[in-house]
Amino acid sequence: DAAHTEMWEKLNLDISAHEGLLEVLGKFYGDIYLSQENRLNGMEYLDFVLSEVHGLRIKEIQDAKATGKKVIGTFCVFVPEELTLAANAIHVGLCSGADAGTDEAEKLVPRNTCALIKSFIGFKLARICPFTESCDLVVGETTCDGKKKAYEAFGKLVPMHVMEVPQTKTTDAKQLFKAEVLRYKEALEELTGVKITVENLRKSISVVNEKRKALQRLSRLRAADPAPISGRDALLINQVSFYDEPERFTQSINTLCDQIEERIAQGGGVVPAGTKRLLLSGCPMAVPNWKLPYVMESSNAVIVGEESCIGSRNVRDLVDDSADTIEGMLDALVDRYMKIDCACFTPNDERMVNVQNMVKDLNADGVVHYALSFCQPYAHEAIKLQDVLSQKGIPMLSVETGYSMEDVEQLKTRVEAFVEML
Ligand code: BJ8
């Protein structure tokens, strides 16, 4: 409507390009989400949030900015949301799941860069992301080579702070990360003028723990057969967790989980009992990257878990909330964040164990490993994981793909053949 358009104009969006994006997004959402059968009522909240992702949520953010709140954009689950919230700032995920502005992006980063990186640069250059345009600070991190080098170019376009994330989990590496957590805390205090204290940090640790607990609850409920919720819907919930207001989000997910419990108690599901169950594992999938989940769930299978940063890797571990000094709380944050099993670590053996645990806990019949094309870390681990899983008799299909739709048919043929042999 007119008020939204006025807001987007103020954010300096390219109005016609942005309209095009919303149109594609709406069509895609209709085909992939609204066409599903047996959806839970609680998903209406998510449908609404998604339909208003560039509307009401941005309005809320702009209203908060008008009262002096700051907005922090991130690309990685290593940036501690607890600190952002303690500094009374808004924390949003910026990774982008669609091709846009690719030609322009390829002038700043090499062509053989993964689609996720090209996409966040492309969104900025094309001026179509109101979240990016709302940020007072964007926080990058030294994870994969693609991202850390891309931030040198991206840092010329937006105000940036880059956290150094170590590549190993030695004691020295944890010390380095702690120093980086402290440096992020100071950057936040400087930007917001809010001092991070025992009180506000305790509160934000609890807010984020509660959000993660609600998502853990959802994840546990998906162990049921028949699967009570589609993998697409669960992925959407995890995607929305990166930009919705956290306390409202937690409440809606808990309400949805109540409905799922009722459905399970009645023996109901989103697919018939006995439908083949797949674990999706690998690179994060940002909105609207729903291609592979859609292909998988149109191939006589249901997705029962996401071993991904937009999934279990962001949710599995809570922050120990027993400390009562800033020092102790920062240590608890460091301990929690250094448990993340991102493929950028070497070695990263705990991921191999975590995937197997998820297969067991969620009663999955097989794993589909997803690596974005040109993503070195996850492509390496696909080889390793295939080996580990085959020794345990767990079937795995390794997929490499980007955001383009041109390989949908080919993917479908491969996934169908995989599901048939399970
Ligand atoms: S903690 S997975 S969110 S770094 S797909 S940009 S790895 S070339 S996203 Fe990640 Fe943090 Fe790790 Fe998670 Fe590079 Fe691969 Fe692209 Fe990737």
Side-chain angles (χ1 to χ4, degrees):
D1 59 23
H4 281 358
T5 308
E6 198 188 318
M7 172 174 79
W8 295 328
E9 271 165 0
K10 271 200 201 132
L11 281 169
N12 195 26
L13 294 193
D14 178 331
I15 296 298
S16 74
H18 179 247
E19 236 160 58
L21 174 75
L22 288 188
E23 205 173 298
V24 172
L25 188 70
K27 160 108 183 47
F28 210 41
Y29 194 72
D31 291 349
I32 293 186
Y33 278 91
L34 303 177
S35 64
Q36 297 181 92
E37 284 169 19
N38 299 328
R39 272 179 108 211
L40 292 147
N41 295 338
M43 288 307 298
E44 280 165 14
Y45 173 73
L46 278 301
D47 288 341
F48 178 71
V49 172
L50 200 86
S51 70
E52 283 294 340
V53 57
H54 284 193
L56 283 183
R57 183 60 183 141
I58 295 299
K59 168 91 172 55
E60 272 181 347
I61 289 176
Q62 292 310 317
D63 290 349
K65 276 172 77 95
T67 69
K69 267 205 181 202
K70 301 294 180 191
V71 179
I72 312 292
T74 62
F75 298 104
C76 175
V77 296
F78 263 100
V79 183
E81 181 174 2
E82 292 86 348
L83 286 179
T84 312
L85 300 183
N88 196 30
I90 296 174
H91 190 94
V92 291
L94 294 180
C95 19
S96 327
D99 286 330
T102 312
D103 291 347
E104 290 302 304
E106 284 177 355
K107 292 181 188 153
L108 297 183
V109 295
R111 287 198 59 188
N112 60 350
T113 297
C114 86
L116 187 150
I117 295 171
K118 276 189 208 165
S119 173
F120 72 69
I121 296 176
F123 271 53
K124 173 70 199 169
L125 295 171
R127 292 188 287 122
I128 51 177
C129 177
F131 288 94
T132 305
E133 301 309 320
S134 299
C135 283
D136 297 289
L137 183 68
V138 173
V139 185
E141 76 308 316
T142 59
T143 45
C144 69
D145 287 354
K147 273 189 181 174
K148 72 186 172 216
K149 295 307 285 181
Y151 296 138
E152 292 175 23
F154 200 65
K156 298 203 169 90
L157 308 170
V158 296
M160 265 211 93
H161 173 95
V162 178
M163 285 180 76
E164 185 164 353
V165 174
Q167 315 272 291
T168 69
K169 294 191 177 174
T170 60
T171 318
D172 284 349
K174 284 184 187 161
Q175 276 310 318
L176 164 70
F177 189 61
K178 184 171 177 194
E180 287 297 288
V181 167
L182 258 173
R183 205 166 60 83
Y184 179 50
K185 171 178 169 286
E186 281 156 14
L188 279 168
E189 289 176 331
E190 161 126 11
L191 176 75
T192 60
V194 175
K195 181 126 190 69
I196 294 179
T197 62
V198 169
E199 287 70 34
N200 59 26
L201 187 53
R202 177 176 292 135
K203 165 88 174 100
S204 67
I205 287 177
S206 151
V207 167
V208 181
N209 274 348
E210 288 308 313
K211 174 160 86 164
R212 294 199 171 112
K213 279 188 213 162
L215 291 165
Q216 288 176 354
R217 184 180 166 206
L218 170 69
S219 166
R220 278 194 304 272
L221 291 171
R222 294 168 73 197
D225 184 25
I229 182 169
S230 70
R232 267 167 286 175
D233 278 341
L235 173 64
L236 179 70
I237 291 167
N238 279 290
Q239 289 172 332
V240 165
S241 77
F242 285 88
Y243 54 78
D244 199 8
E245 195 287 312
E247 292 180 82
R248 178 178 61 206
F249 173 82
T250 302
Q251 210 182 12
S252 344
I253 299 316
N254 277 319
T255 307
L256 181 79
C257 287
D258 294 340
Q259 289 173 15
I260 295 181
E261 278 172 0
E262 274 170 43
R263 176 177 269 190
I264 293 174
Q266 291 160 4
V270 74
V271 285
T275 301
K276 293 296 178 204
R277 305 164 64 88
L278 299 174
L279 179 71
L280 178 57
S281 168
C283 288
M285 290 178 168
V287 173
N289 181 5
W290 303 310
K291 175 175 74 173
L292 186 58
Y294 175 66
V295 165
M296 289 164 72
E297 295 199 325
S298 325
S299 304
N300 303 317
V302 64
I303 300 167
V304 293
E306 296 76 30
E307 193 276 326
S308 160
C309 284
I310 305 198
S312 66
R313 224 173 284 131
N314 183 41
V315 173
R316 185 180 50 233
D317 305 302
L318 302 177
V319 176
D320 178 348
D321 60 2
S322 60
D324 47 16
T325 59
I326 281 284
E327 186 70 16
M329 293 166 125
L330 293 179
D331 283 333
L333 282 178
V334 170
D335 282 346
R336 187 262 167 213
Y337 281 85
M338 286 297 284
K339 284 190 193 140
I340 297 172
D341 53 349
C342 171
C344 296
F345 281 86
T346 181
N348 187 34
D349 296 332
E350 57 269 46
R351 179 165 172 239
M352 303 294 132
V353 177
N354 287 330
V355 173
Q356 293 174 64
N357 287 342
M358 284 186 78
V359 168
K360 194 156 106 280
D361 295 344
L362 297 166
N363 305 309
D365 299 299
V367 175
V368 173
H369 189 276
Y370 158 72
L372 266 175
S373 308
F374 309 121
C375 172
Q376 289 274 343
Y378 283 88
H380 273 275
E381 291 207 349
I383 298 173
K384 201 171 159 191
L385 186 63
Q386 184 117 51
D387 193 36
V388 169
L389 294 183
S390 80
Q391 284 171 31
K392 302 278 160 130
I394 302 169
M396 178 182 126
L397 174 70
S398 183
V399 170
E400 260 187 57
T401 184
Y403 291 169
S404 131
M405 285 298 164
E406 62 196 15
D407 60 351
V408 165
E409 286 310 315
Q410 192 199 334
L411 284 173
K412 199 154 186 313
T413 310
R414 290 188 63 207
V415 173
E416 274 173 357
F418 178 68
V419 171
E420 215 152 280
M421 57 141 257
L422 291 176

